[in-house]
PDB file of all heavy atoms in Angstrom:
ATOM      1  N   VAL A 160       0.836   3.012  12.323  1.00  0.00           N
ATOM      2  CA  VAL A 160       1.089   3.779  13.548  1.00  0.00           C
ATOM      3  C   VAL A 160       2.226   3.133  14.331  1.00  0.00           C
ATOM      4  O   VAL A 160       2.465   1.928  14.233  1.00  0.00           O
ATOM      5  CB  VAL A 160      -0.175   3.852  14.444  1.00  0.00           C
ATOM      6  CG1 VAL A 160      -1.213   4.782  13.841  1.00  0.00           C
ATOM      7  CG2 VAL A 160      -0.769   2.469  14.676  1.00  0.00           C
ATOM      8  N   LEU A 161       2.906   3.946  15.105  1.00  0.00           N
ATOM      9  CA  LEU A 161       4.043   3.449  15.890  1.00  0.00           C
ATOM     10  C   LEU A 161       4.134   4.267  17.163  1.00  0.00           C
ATOM     11  O   LEU A 161       3.933   5.480  17.138  1.00  0.00           O
ATOM     12  CB  LEU A 161       5.331   3.601  15.066  1.00  0.00           C
ATOM     13  CG  LEU A 161       6.666   3.219  15.691  1.00  0.00           C
ATOM     14  CD1 LEU A 161       7.637   2.738  14.589  1.00  0.00           C
ATOM     15  CD2 LEU A 161       7.323   4.342  16.484  1.00  0.00           C
ATOM     16  N   LYS A 162       4.392   3.584  18.275  1.00  0.00           N
ATOM     17  CA  LYS A 162       4.777   4.334  19.477  1.00  0.00           C
ATOM     18  C   LYS A 162       6.156   3.863  19.920  1.00  0.00           C
ATOM     19  O   LYS A 162       6.448   2.658  19.950  1.00  0.00           O
ATOM     20  CB  LYS A 162       3.725   4.304  20.582  1.00  0.00           C
ATOM     21  CG  LYS A 162       3.232   2.974  21.014  1.00  0.00           C
ATOM     22  CD  LYS A 162       1.877   3.104  21.691  1.00  0.00           C
ATOM     23  CE  LYS A 162       2.024   3.829  23.035  1.00  0.00           C
ATOM     24  NZ  LYS A 162       0.738   4.376  23.501  1.00  0.00           N
ATOM     25  N   SER A 163       6.999   4.830  20.262  1.00  0.00           N
ATOM     26  CA  SER A 163       8.418   4.520  20.496  1.00  0.00           C
ATOM     27  C   SER A 163       8.680   4.147  21.947  1.00  0.00           C
ATOM     28  O   SER A 163       9.799   3.733  22.285  1.00  0.00           O
ATOM     29  CB  SER A 163       9.299   5.688  20.065  1.00  0.00           C
ATOM     30  OG  SER A 163       8.825   6.887  20.637  1.00  0.00           O
ATOM     31  N   THR A 164       7.669   4.313  22.808  1.00  0.00           N
ATOM     32  CA  THR A 164       7.728   3.756  24.170  1.00  0.00           C
ATOM     33  C   THR A 164       6.279   3.631  24.640  1.00  0.00           C
ATOM     34  O   THR A 164       5.349   3.791  23.855  1.00  0.00           O
ATOM     35  CB  THR A 164       8.587   4.622  25.115  1.00  0.00           C
ATOM     36  OG1 THR A 164       8.773   3.929  26.351  1.00  0.00           O
ATOM     37  CG2 THR A 164       7.947   5.984  25.370  1.00  0.00           C
ATOM     38  N   GLY A 165       6.099   3.288  25.929  1.00  0.00           N
ATOM     39  CA  GLY A 165       4.719   3.127  26.410  1.00  0.00           C
ATOM     40  C   GLY A 165       4.144   1.789  26.001  1.00  0.00           C
ATOM     41  O   GLY A 165       2.930   1.636  25.886  1.00  0.00           O
ATOM     42  N   SER A 166       4.999   0.808  25.775  1.00  0.00           N
ATOM     43  CA  SER A 166       4.558  -0.530  25.383  1.00  0.00           C
ATOM     44  C   SER A 166       5.459  -1.568  26.023  1.00  0.00           C
ATOM     45  O   SER A 166       6.689  -1.402  26.033  1.00  0.00           O
ATOM     46  CB  SER A 166       4.612  -0.663  23.858  1.00  0.00           C
ATOM     47  OG  SER A 166       4.583  -2.030  23.472  1.00  0.00           O
ATOM     48  N   GLU A 167       4.850  -2.610  26.567  1.00  0.00           N
ATOM     49  CA  GLU A 167       5.628  -3.707  27.160  1.00  0.00           C
ATOM     50  C   GLU A 167       5.032  -5.029  26.682  1.00  0.00           C
ATOM     51  O   GLU A 167       3.936  -5.063  26.110  1.00  0.00           O
ATOM     52  CB  GLU A 167       5.573  -3.643  28.686  1.00  0.00           C
ATOM     53  CG  GLU A 167       4.175  -3.888  29.245  1.00  0.00           C
ATOM     54  CD  GLU A 167       4.131  -3.951  30.766  1.00  0.00           C
ATOM     55  OE1 GLU A 167       4.794  -3.120  31.414  1.00  0.00           O
ATOM     56  OE2 GLU A 167       3.430  -4.845  31.292  1.00  0.00           O
ATOM     57  N   PHE A 168       5.768  -6.101  26.906  1.00  0.00           N
ATOM     58  CA  PHE A 168       5.213  -7.440  26.677  1.00  0.00           C
ATOM     59  C   PHE A 168       5.931  -8.401  27.604  1.00  0.00           C
ATOM     60  O   PHE A 168       7.124  -8.667  27.437  1.00  0.00           O
ATOM     61  CB  PHE A 168       5.382  -7.863  25.213  1.00  0.00           C
ATOM     62  CG  PHE A 168       4.604  -9.119  24.884  1.00  0.00           C
ATOM     63  CD1 PHE A 168       3.215  -9.120  24.931  1.00  0.00           C
ATOM     64  CD2 PHE A 168       5.257 -10.303  24.559  1.00  0.00           C
ATOM     65  CE1 PHE A 168       2.485 -10.276  24.644  1.00  0.00           C
ATOM     66  CE2 PHE A 168       4.545 -11.459  24.275  1.00  0.00           C
ATOM     67  CZ  PHE A 168       3.150 -11.442  24.313  1.00  0.00           C
ATOM     68  N   THR A 182       9.963  -7.696  28.004  1.00  0.00           N
ATOM     69  CA  THR A 182      10.392  -6.305  27.864  1.00  0.00           C
ATOM     70  C   THR A 182       9.388  -5.382  28.535  1.00  0.00           C
ATOM     71  O   THR A 182       8.177  -5.625  28.495  1.00  0.00           O
ATOM     72  CB  THR A 182      10.563  -5.906  26.388  1.00  0.00           C
ATOM     73  OG1 THR A 182      10.767  -4.494  26.331  1.00  0.00           O
ATOM     74  CG2 THR A 182       9.350  -6.245  25.556  1.00  0.00           C
ATOM     75  N   THR A 183       9.913  -4.334  29.150  1.00  0.00           N
ATOM     76  CA  THR A 183       9.044  -3.315  29.746  1.00  0.00           C
ATOM     77  C   THR A 183       9.097  -2.028  28.938  1.00  0.00           C
ATOM     78  O   THR A 183       8.502  -1.032  29.323  1.00  0.00           O
ATOM     79  CB  THR A 183       9.472  -3.014  31.194  1.00  0.00           C
ATOM     80  OG1 THR A 183      10.864  -2.661  31.180  1.00  0.00           O
ATOM     81  CG2 THR A 183       9.256  -4.221  32.085  1.00  0.00           C
ATOM     82  N   ASP A 184       9.824  -2.065  27.841  1.00  0.00           N
ATOM     83  CA  ASP A 184       9.903  -0.863  27.004  1.00  0.00           C
ATOM     84  C   ASP A 184      10.272  -1.290  25.588  1.00  0.00           C
ATOM     85  O   ASP A 184      11.403  -1.646  25.318  1.00  0.00           O
ATOM     86  CB  ASP A 184      10.966   0.099  27.565  1.00  0.00           C
ATOM     87  CG  ASP A 184      10.983   1.428  26.822  1.00  0.00           C
ATOM     88  OD1 ASP A 184      10.092   1.660  25.971  1.00  0.00           O
ATOM     89  OD2 ASP A 184      11.900   2.229  27.092  1.00  0.00           O
ATOM     90  N   ARG A 185       9.273  -1.264  24.714  1.00  0.00           N
ATOM     91  CA  ARG A 185       9.530  -1.682  23.344  1.00  0.00           C
ATOM     92  C   ARG A 185       8.837  -0.729  22.380  1.00  0.00           C
ATOM     93  O   ARG A 185       8.032   0.107  22.792  1.00  0.00           O
ATOM     94  CB  ARG A 185       9.025  -3.120  23.119  1.00  0.00           C
ATOM     95  CG  ARG A 185       7.521  -3.247  23.186  1.00  0.00           C
ATOM     96  CD  ARG A 185       7.022  -4.641  22.777  1.00  0.00           C
ATOM     97  NE  ARG A 185       5.560  -4.681  22.795  1.00  0.00           N
ATOM     98  CZ  ARG A 185       4.831  -5.677  22.346  1.00  0.00           C
ATOM     99  NH1 ARG A 185       5.421  -6.758  21.871  1.00  0.00           N
ATOM    100  NH2 ARG A 185       3.513  -5.634  22.382  1.00  0.00           N
ATOM    101  N   VAL A 186       9.172  -0.896  21.102  1.00  0.00           N
ATOM    102  CA  VAL A 186       8.450  -0.173  20.056  1.00  0.00           C
ATOM    103  C   VAL A 186       7.202  -0.985  19.715  1.00  0.00           C
ATOM    104  O   VAL A 186       7.272  -2.208  19.569  1.00  0.00           O
ATOM    105  CB  VAL A 186       9.339  -0.018  18.805  1.00  0.00           C
ATOM    106  CG1 VAL A 186       8.526   0.474  17.614  1.00  0.00           C
ATOM    107  CG2 VAL A 186      10.503   0.929  19.097  1.00  0.00           C
ATOM    108  N   LEU A 187       6.069  -0.320  19.618  1.00  0.00           N
ATOM    109  CA  LEU A 187       4.838  -0.987  19.178  1.00  0.00           C
ATOM    110  C   LEU A 187       4.396  -0.336  17.871  1.00  0.00           C
ATOM    111  O   LEU A 187       4.197   0.885  17.811  1.00  0.00           O
ATOM    112  CB  LEU A 187       3.737  -0.836  20.234  1.00  0.00           C
ATOM    113  CG  LEU A 187       2.408  -1.522  19.874  1.00  0.00           C
ATOM    114  CD1 LEU A 187       2.563  -3.046  19.846  1.00  0.00           C
ATOM    115  CD2 LEU A 187       1.309  -1.126  20.866  1.00  0.00           C
ATOM    116  N   ALA A 188       4.283  -1.145  16.830  1.00  0.00           N
ATOM    117  CA  ALA A 188       3.888  -0.586  15.533  1.00  0.00           C
ATOM    118  C   ALA A 188       2.963  -1.559  14.831  1.00  0.00           C
ATOM    119  O   ALA A 188       3.108  -2.783  14.948  1.00  0.00           O
ATOM    120  CB  ALA A 188       5.124  -0.323  14.673  1.00  0.00           C
ATOM    121  N   THR A 189       2.023  -1.014  14.093  1.00  0.00           N
ATOM    122  CA  THR A 189       1.134  -1.864  13.314  1.00  0.00           C
ATOM    123  C   THR A 189       0.640  -1.110  12.089  1.00  0.00           C
ATOM    124  O   THR A 189       0.767   0.116  12.002  1.00  0.00           O
ATOM    125  CB  THR A 189      -0.069  -2.365  14.148  1.00  0.00           C
ATOM    126  OG1 THR A 189      -0.804  -3.323  13.383  1.00  0.00           O
ATOM    127  CG2 THR A 189      -1.000  -1.233  14.546  1.00  0.00           C
ATOM    128  N   PHE A 224      -4.695   4.892  20.595  1.00  0.00           N
ATOM    129  CA  PHE A 224      -3.390   4.245  20.415  1.00  0.00           C
ATOM    130  C   PHE A 224      -2.296   5.071  21.088  1.00  0.00           C
ATOM    131  O   PHE A 224      -1.418   4.543  21.776  1.00  0.00           O
ATOM    132  CB  PHE A 224      -3.092   4.094  18.917  1.00  0.00           C
ATOM    133  CG  PHE A 224      -1.749   3.476  18.626  1.00  0.00           C
ATOM    134  CD1 PHE A 224      -1.585   2.102  18.641  1.00  0.00           C
ATOM    135  CD2 PHE A 224      -0.646   4.275  18.341  1.00  0.00           C
ATOM    136  CE1 PHE A 224      -0.344   1.525  18.392  1.00  0.00           C
ATOM    137  CE2 PHE A 224       0.600   3.711  18.085  1.00  0.00           C
ATOM    138  CZ  PHE A 224       0.743   2.327  18.112  1.00  0.00           C
ATOM    139  N   SER A 229       0.396   0.237  26.626  1.00  0.00           N
ATOM    140  CA  SER A 229       0.102  -1.057  26.024  1.00  0.00           C
ATOM    141  C   SER A 229       0.842  -2.195  26.720  1.00  0.00           C
ATOM    142  O   SER A 229       2.071  -2.195  26.776  1.00  0.00           O
ATOM    143  CB  SER A 229       0.509  -1.032  24.537  1.00  0.00           C
ATOM    144  OG  SER A 229       0.341  -2.320  23.978  1.00  0.00           O
ATOM    145  N   ASN A 259       1.635  -7.178  13.897  1.00  0.00           N
ATOM    146  CA  ASN A 259       2.568  -6.595  14.854  1.00  0.00           C
ATOM    147  C   ASN A 259       3.893  -6.390  14.124  1.00  0.00           C
ATOM    148  O   ASN A 259       4.608  -7.342  13.824  1.00  0.00           O
ATOM    149  CB  ASN A 259       2.727  -7.553  16.047  1.00  0.00           C
ATOM    150  CG  ASN A 259       3.438  -6.911  17.214  1.00  0.00           C
ATOM    151  OD1 ASN A 259       3.949  -5.798  17.103  1.00  0.00           O
ATOM    152  ND2 ASN A 259       3.471  -7.609  18.337  1.00  0.00           N
ATOM    153  N   LYS A 260       4.183  -5.159  13.796  1.00  0.00           N
ATOM    154  CA  LYS A 260       5.399  -4.867  13.016  1.00  0.00           C
ATOM    155  C   LYS A 260       6.572  -4.793  13.990  1.00  0.00           C
ATOM    156  O   LYS A 260       6.857  -3.746  14.575  1.00  0.00           O
ATOM    157  CB  LYS A 260       5.218  -3.567  12.240  1.00  0.00           C
ATOM    158  CG  LYS A 260       4.134  -3.692  11.153  1.00  0.00           C
ATOM    159  CD  LYS A 260       3.738  -2.353  10.566  1.00  0.00           C
ATOM    160  CE  LYS A 260       4.693  -1.821   9.535  1.00  0.00           C
ATOM    161  NZ  LYS A 260       4.555  -2.485   8.228  1.00  0.00           N
ATOM    162  N   HIS A 261       7.195  -5.961  14.148  1.00  0.00           N
ATOM    163  CA  HIS A 261       8.225  -6.104  15.185  1.00  0.00           C
ATOM    164  C   HIS A 261       9.429  -5.214  14.909  1.00  0.00           C
ATOM    165  O   HIS A 261       9.942  -5.175  13.778  1.00  0.00           O
ATOM    166  CB  HIS A 261       8.703  -7.560  15.257  1.00  0.00           C
ATOM    167  CG  HIS A 261       7.600  -8.541  15.532  1.00  0.00           C
ATOM    168  ND1 HIS A 261       6.856  -8.532  16.684  1.00  0.00           N
ATOM    169  CD2 HIS A 261       7.096  -9.557  14.782  1.00  0.00           C
ATOM    170  CE1 HIS A 261       5.963  -9.508  16.645  1.00  0.00           C
ATOM    171  NE2 HIS A 261       6.081 -10.141  15.492  1.00  0.00           N
ATOM    172  N   HIS A 262       9.865  -4.526  15.940  1.00  0.00           N
ATOM    173  CA  HIS A 262      11.102  -3.739  15.885  1.00  0.00           C
ATOM    174  C   HIS A 262      12.062  -4.381  16.875  1.00  0.00           C
ATOM    175  O   HIS A 262      11.827  -4.338  18.082  1.00  0.00           O
ATOM    176  CB  HIS A 262      10.838  -2.275  16.230  1.00  0.00           C
ATOM    177  CG  HIS A 262      10.155  -1.539  15.117  1.00  0.00           C
ATOM    178  ND1 HIS A 262       8.880  -1.853  14.703  1.00  0.00           N
ATOM    179  CD2 HIS A 262      10.582  -0.528  14.314  1.00  0.00           C
ATOM    180  CE1 HIS A 262       8.548  -1.065  13.685  1.00  0.00           C
ATOM    181  NE2 HIS A 262       9.560  -0.254  13.438  1.00  0.00           N
ATOM    182  N   VAL A 263      13.094  -5.016  16.342  1.00  0.00           N
ATOM    183  CA  VAL A 263      13.988  -5.822  17.162  1.00  0.00           C
ATOM    184  C   VAL A 263      15.244  -5.002  17.465  1.00  0.00           C
ATOM    185  O   VAL A 263      15.905  -4.501  16.550  1.00  0.00           O
ATOM    186  CB  VAL A 263      14.391  -7.110  16.410  1.00  0.00           C
ATOM    187  CG1 VAL A 263      15.242  -7.998  17.305  1.00  0.00           C
ATOM    188  CG2 VAL A 263      13.147  -7.846  15.918  1.00  0.00           C
ATOM    189  N   LEU A 264      15.532  -4.889  18.756  1.00  0.00           N
ATOM    190  CA  LEU A 264      16.723  -4.148  19.175  1.00  0.00           C
ATOM    191  C   LEU A 264      17.957  -4.759  18.505  1.00  0.00           C
ATOM    192  O   LEU A 264      18.172  -5.964  18.586  1.00  0.00           O
ATOM    193  CB  LEU A 264      16.839  -4.259  20.704  1.00  0.00           C
ATOM    194  CG  LEU A 264      17.624  -3.184  21.426  1.00  0.00           C
ATOM    195  CD1 LEU A 264      17.020  -1.796  21.213  1.00  0.00           C
ATOM    196  CD2 LEU A 264      17.673  -3.529  22.916  1.00  0.00           C
ATOM    197  N   GLY A 276      17.552   1.060  23.546  1.00  0.00           N
ATOM    198  CA  GLY A 276      16.279   1.319  22.851  1.00  0.00           C
ATOM    199  C   GLY A 276      16.416   2.378  21.779  1.00  0.00           C
ATOM    200  O   GLY A 276      15.488   3.158  21.550  1.00  0.00           O
ATOM    201  N   GLU A 277      17.570   2.382  21.078  1.00  0.00           N
ATOM    202  CA  GLU A 277      17.788   3.451  20.102  1.00  0.00           C
ATOM    203  C   GLU A 277      17.868   2.965  18.658  1.00  0.00           C
ATOM    204  O   GLU A 277      17.463   3.670  17.740  1.00  0.00           O
ATOM    205  CB  GLU A 277      19.076   4.206  20.449  1.00  0.00           C
ATOM    206  CG  GLU A 277      18.957   5.004  21.742  1.00  0.00           C
ATOM    207  CD  GLU A 277      20.284   5.570  22.194  1.00  0.00           C
ATOM    208  OE1 GLU A 277      21.184   4.765  22.512  1.00  0.00           O
ATOM    209  OE2 GLU A 277      20.431   6.791  22.210  1.00  0.00           O
ATOM    210  N   VAL A 278      18.413   1.769  18.450  1.00  0.00           N
ATOM    211  CA  VAL A 278      18.570   1.283  17.074  1.00  0.00           C
ATOM    212  C   VAL A 278      17.869  -0.074  16.939  1.00  0.00           C
ATOM    213  O   VAL A 278      18.148  -1.013  17.693  1.00  0.00           O
ATOM    214  CB  VAL A 278      20.060   1.152  16.677  1.00  0.00           C
ATOM    215  CG1 VAL A 278      20.187   0.616  15.254  1.00  0.00           C
ATOM    216  CG2 VAL A 278      20.764   2.496  16.807  1.00  0.00           C
ATOM    217  N   PHE A 279      16.953  -0.163  15.978  1.00  0.00           N
ATOM    218  CA  PHE A 279      16.137  -1.370  15.806  1.00  0.00           C
ATOM    219  C   PHE A 279      16.235  -1.887  14.377  1.00  0.00           C
ATOM    220  O   PHE A 279      16.428  -1.111  13.437  1.00  0.00           O
ATOM    221  CB  PHE A 279      14.663  -1.047  16.085  1.00  0.00           C
ATOM    222  CG  PHE A 279      14.386  -0.627  17.496  1.00  0.00           C
ATOM    223  CD1 PHE A 279      14.529   0.709  17.868  1.00  0.00           C
ATOM    224  CD2 PHE A 279      14.009  -1.549  18.452  1.00  0.00           C
ATOM    225  CE1 PHE A 279      14.280   1.110  19.173  1.00  0.00           C
ATOM    226  CE2 PHE A 279      13.760  -1.156  19.753  1.00  0.00           C
ATOM    227  CZ  PHE A 279      13.897   0.186  20.117  1.00  0.00           C
ATOM    228  N   LEU A 280      16.065  -3.182  14.253  1.00  0.00           N
ATOM    229  CA  LEU A 280      15.814  -3.772  12.952  1.00  0.00           C
ATOM    230  C   LEU A 280      14.300  -3.864  12.776  1.00  0.00           C
ATOM    231  O   LEU A 280      13.614  -4.492  13.593  1.00  0.00           O
ATOM    232  CB  LEU A 280      16.422  -5.176  12.887  1.00  0.00           C
ATOM    233  CG  LEU A 280      15.970  -6.039  11.712  1.00  0.00           C
ATOM    234  CD1 LEU A 280      16.545  -5.512  10.395  1.00  0.00           C
ATOM    235  CD2 LEU A 280      16.390  -7.488  11.916  1.00  0.00           C
ATOM    236  N   ALA A 281      13.764  -3.211  11.744  1.00  0.00           N
ATOM    237  CA  ALA A 281      12.329  -3.326  11.460  1.00  0.00           C
ATOM    238  C   ALA A 281      12.143  -4.598  10.646  1.00  0.00           C
ATOM    239  O   ALA A 281      12.471  -4.658   9.464  1.00  0.00           O
ATOM    240  CB  ALA A 281      11.844  -2.097  10.686  1.00  0.00           C
TER     241      ALA A 281
END
Side-chain angles (χ1 to χ4, degrees):
V160 287
L161 177 150
K162 53 201 291 161
S163 51
T164 189
S166 163
E167 66 175 42
F168 190 65
T182 171
T183 55
D184 186 7
R185 67 172 183 172
V186 168
L187 181 67
T189 187
F224 178 83
S229 175
N259 192 352
K260 294 168 80 77
H261 302 298
H262 286 65
V263 184
L264 203 60
E277 292 171 296
V278 179
F279 296 86
L280 167 70

